[in-house]
Amino acid sequence: MIKKLKIKLIAICLLAVGIVLSIIVSTSYIAAMLNITRTTDNIINYIHNNGDIIIIHDSSLNADEDDTLKETRYFIVKTYDVAKPDEIQVSNTSINNNRVKFLSNRVLNQKLFNRGYIDGYRYRMYDIVENDKKIGDVMIFIDCNRQIFNIRFMLVSATIISLLSMLTIFSLLRVFANKILKPIIDAHEKQKKFITNASHELKTPLTVITANNELLEMEYGENEYTKTISKQITKLTSMTNTLVTLSKIDEMNTLEDMSDFNIGDAAYDTVNIYTKIINKEFTYEIDENIMFFGNEKLIRDLFTILLDNARKYSTSYIKFSVNKSKGKIHIICENDAPNLEKGNLNHFAERFYRADESRVTIKDGSGVGLSLAKDIIEIHHGSMKIYSPDGEKCIINIYL
């Protein structure tokens, strides 16, 4: 349990840090790209409004804008016949003409938006209008490759720094996880010690009470009172054993006493016992020769818990099946039970949960049976779903 808690703590912390760093890096990248787009669009508008040649040292520009324009590599393409993309006019460029034609033809032929990025160039397309009629297009391309390279370099650097930061945090969490979880570890150890000591302490009085009850039955015969005592001794003994099992399962990091065994035979053995004590309609379907690798004792305990739970709460029938489906062991235990909630009933597997608190003394049990079943299933890396499709029957669906 503690090992799982440490893994969850480290995973949640790393996930939170990863999300924060991803948001920071992504936001920085988007902000930088938006800044390039805004600056480049301003330059394109200036070029369009002032003709084909940028006027350096324009009195309307401040020093920073003047320097930006001096460093700008751009070209302008005019075309008057879309059907003849080769007949274009190019001005103000030191860029290779083949490159210019390639980029302009891609924008025209692919019918891209009137503004955007293509191969590291920011472009915008304007209409050439004469006598209120469009006679062609003018496209202005600004070379943004250097700026985009710098931003991508920043992105790669930030990503590497983020990964190194997460690796550092992971190392620190591994070192300090025990200190962070110390209060929980201490509480868990005290709980485990209490359960172990209590189980040992209860065994002696239970043995004495059982012996005295048997003596009373031998001397005065079995009666209502000795039957009640015997029933409560059985209930308390079962509860004590279940709590000890729960405590042991909590400490299982891996399955102990694992082996290949026939899970069908284990199911048949349990069913044969319950066919003698279930006084309701009981049907079952178990495939033969289903081999499974796991703890055979725990799997047998699982079958016992399922059938015992169904026996206690069913009113007229119980259905039980074990088969292999898609490479997994599929176990279904179904019984009718009145006044259930429709839908998901997984909360039935919470420890000490009782569906109807007013009936706790009517039904035998301690509310830990399905919780123990859930722990056994999780140890075997399986899954369990408890649900009621109509509020009148309970279905436990298990995959191992």
Side-chain angles (χ1 to χ4, degrees):
M1 177 182 175
I2 298 301
K3 184 177 180 180
K4 290 181 179 178
L5 197 59
K6 287 170 64 176
I7 293 173
K8 286 182 179 179
L9 172 67
I10 293 174
I12 291 172
C13 290
L14 289 177
L15 178 63
V17 171
I19 290 173
V20 172
L21 290 175
S22 297
I23 291 173
I24 293 173
V25 172
S26 300
T27 303
S28 301
Y29 176 77
I30 292 171
M33 286 300 299
L34 289 175
N35 182 58
I36 290 178
T37 300
R38 180 183 58 81
T39 303
T40 307
D41 284 347
N42 288 338
I43 297 174
I44 290 175
N45 286 331
Y46 181 83
I47 295 172
H48 179 256
N49 294 332
N50 290 273
D52 293 352
I53 301 176
I54 296 178
I55 303 174
I56 306 302
H57 304 299
D58 190 331
S59 59
S60 64
L61 301 176
N62 59 41
D64 291 337
E65 291 175 327
D66 193 5
D67 292 339
T68 300
L69 291 174
K70 284 180 180 178
E71 297 175 358
T72 301
R73 297 177 72 242
Y74 74 97
F75 61 89
I76 301 171
V77 176
K78 294 180 181 179
T79 178
Y80 296 94
D81 189 349
V82 177
K84 299 178 180 178
D86 290 333
E87 296 181 8
I88 60 176
Q89 297 178 13
V90 182
S91 59
N92 291 338
T93 181
S94 60
I95 302 171
N96 183 278
N97 283 335
N98 291 331
R99 180 69 170 165
V100 171
K101 290 182 179 181
F102 173 75
L103 293 175
S104 56
N105 286 337
R106 278 188 61 186
V107 173
L108 291 171
N109 295 335
Q110 296 180 15
K111 298 180 180 179
L112 302 177
F113 295 106
N114 64 351
R115 70 174 69 189
Y117 284 95
I118 182 169
D119 289 354
Y121 286 81
R122 177 72 177 173
Y123 72 89
R124 183 166 181 181
M125 185 184 298
Y126 298 91
D127 294 338
I128 301 175
V129 179
E130 187 176 289
N131 297 325
D132 296 327
K133 182 180 178 181
K134 179 181 176 181
I135 62 172
D137 297 293
V138 58
M139 293 174 286
I140 303 175
F141 291 79
I142 299 289
D143 186 0
C144 300
N145 281 285
R146 185 179 61 181
Q147 295 94 321
I148 292 174
F149 173 82
N150 290 336
I151 291 176
R152 288 178 178 171
F153 179 79
M154 178 202 72
L155 178 64
V156 172
S157 301
T159 302
I160 293 173
I161 292 171
S162 298
L163 292 175
L164 291 175
S165 300
M166 290 185 66
L167 182 61
T168 303
I169 293 171
F170 171 73
S171 302
L172 292 173
L173 284 172
R174 288 196 62 183
V175 173
F176 294 108
N178 286 334
K179 290 186 178 180
I180 297 172
L181 297 174
K182 190 175 185 303
I184 298 175
I185 295 173
D186 291 343
H188 181 73
E189 289 298 327
K190 289 177 182 178
Q191 173 186 303
K192 180 186 172 186
K193 186 176 181 181
F194 169 78
I195 292 175
T196 304
N197 292 339
S199 64
H200 287 298
E201 292 297 328
L202 284 171
K203 285 181 180 179
T204 300
L206 284 173
T207 303
V208 173
I209 295 170
T210 302
N212 289 334
N213 192 51
E214 290 175 353
L215 288 174
L216 288 173
E217 288 180 339
M218 291 172 60
E219 187 169 349
Y220 299 103
E222 189 180 55
N223 56 54
E224 178 184 350
Y225 303 106
T226 58
K227 285 182 180 179
T228 302
I229 292 172
S230 179
K231 183 178 180 181
Q232 295 303 318
I233 289 172
T234 301
K235 181 178 178 180
L236 187 56
T237 301
S238 176
M239 184 188 302
T240 303
N241 292 334
T242 301
L243 290 173
V244 172
T245 304
L246 281 172
S247 178
K248 289 180 179 179
I249 285 179
D250 281 342
E251 294 305 311
M252 280 189 179
N253 295 328
T254 57
L255 277 171
E256 300 173 353
D257 300 325
M258 293 186 298
S259 62
D260 283 312
F261 66 97
N262 192 324
I263 197 171
D265 289 346
Y268 267 120
D269 292 343
T270 309
V271 164
N272 288 334
I273 295 172
Y274 276 87
T275 52
K276 300 173 184 177
I277 59 177
I278 292 177
N279 54 1
K280 302 154 189 172
E281 181 185 348
F282 180 30
T283 58
Y284 57 89
E285 181 183 342
I286 301 172
D287 289 350
E288 297 180 356
N289 299 320
I290 307 176
M291 300 306 296
F292 181 70
F293 184 74
N295 187 306
E296 184 174 356
K297 180 183 181 304
L298 290 180
I299 295 299
R300 289 178 179 269
D301 289 342
L302 171 63
F303 293 146
T304 300
I305 291 167
L306 294 176
L307 292 176
D308 196 50
N309 182 78
R311 178 184 64 85
K312 290 174 186 175
Y313 294 101
S314 66
T315 56
S316 63
Y317 79 89
I318 298 172
K319 293 181 180 179
F320 181 72
S321 66
V322 179
N323 54 64
K324 194 165 187 177
S325 175
K326 298 180 180 179
K328 290 190 174 183
I329 308 298
H330 189 198
I331 303 168
I332 301 177
C333 187
E334 176 186 331
N335 63 274
D336 57 340
N339 304 320
L340 291 174
E341 306 169 27
K342 288 184 180 180
N344 194 322
L345 299 176
N346 284 339
H347 52 276
F348 281 11
E350 295 175 4
R351 291 189 182 181
F352 307 106
Y353 177 86
R354 302 300 293 269
D356 186 350
E357 295 296 338
S358 64
R359 299 166 61 198
V360 169
T361 57
I362 299 176
K363 299 290 184 182
D364 294 336
S366 56
V368 296
L370 290 179
S371 174
L372 179 57
K374 180 183 176 183
D375 288 343
I376 293 172
I377 292 164
E378 288 181 349
I379 285 176
H380 287 84
H381 307 292
S383 62
M384 177 174 72
K385 181 181 179 181
I386 308 173
Y387 66 97
S388 175
D390 53 10
E392 296 296 327
K393 60 185 175 184
C394 177
I395 301 175
I396 301 177
N397 202 359
I398 298 169
Y399 282 98
L400 292 176

